[in-house]
Amino acid sequence: MKDPNCLFCKIIDGQIPSAKVYEDGSVFAFRDINPQAPVHVLVVPKEHISCALELNGDNSAVAAKCFEAVAKIARSEGLESGFRVINNCGEDGGQSVMHLHFHLIGGRKLSEKII
Ligand code: 5GP
Ligand code: ZN
């Protein structure tokens, strides 16, 4: 299900270009436009789910699919030595695009602190 006003739905649909790194039936992944590390990929479910608060027993399979994609992308990007996955949720969590997404960040030694 798509939200016509959602930036990431438009990227998934190809209406807005992106640097795609992975796609399957339920997941789309592309490079962040403002990378915070040598590898910074956004892994998103194709289904429009606004944030992690909206996950429930009916739709949580897509979150598992996202993490399966994370493992594949981490290997294809050469991140076997480690990486970080971040989900920002809501205003206090710093979420700026209201379509559930996981930041896959790596390619250098990351800070031990995440806040
Ligand atoms: P959030 O702050 O919601 O957790 O993460 C949103 C991310 O989307 C940010 O890291 C931002 O750089 C990225 N972003 C915003 N607009 C675009 C865009 O048009 N294309 C791509 N590839 N990334 C975007
Ligand atoms: Zn969306």
Side-chain angles (χ1 to χ4, degrees):
M1 192 182 301
K2 303 291 180 216
D3 177 338
N5 299 313
C6 170
L7 173 65
F8 286 176
C9 284
K10 290 177 184 171
I11 286 177
I12 293 163
D13 273 357
Q15 296 173 38
I16 293 176
S18 69
K20 182 172 83 172
V21 298
Y22 177 84
E23 181 175 15
D24 64 28
S26 48
V27 177
F28 194 88
F30 53 100
R31 297 194 192 282
D32 197 293
I33 205 167
N34 183 24
Q36 303 300 306
V39 176
H40 187 167
V41 173
L42 300 173
V43 180
V44 313
K46 288 185 171 177
E47 178 181 353
H48 180 84
I49 298 169
S50 60
C51 67
L53 268 179
E54 301 303 323
L55 284 168
N56 56 53
D58 293 330
N59 64 16
S60 61
V62 299
K65 291 291 184 189
C66 284
F67 275 82
E68 290 179 35
V70 162
K72 291 177 186 170
I73 298 163
R75 291 185 191 284
S76 66
E77 294 288 324
L79 302 182
E80 289 89 344
S81 61
F83 56 86
R84 183 167 292 154
V85 177
I86 295 172
N87 169 252
N88 296 325
C89 183
E91 188 176 349
D92 283 359
Q95 185 178 7
S96 61
V97 179
M98 294 305 292
H99 180 129
L100 179 67
H101 54 279
F102 300 94
H103 298 253
L104 169 56
I105 295 170
R108 64 167 164 79
K109 179 79 173 167
L110 299 171
S111 161
E112 291 181 8
K113 297 189 185 300
I114 59 167
I115 55 173

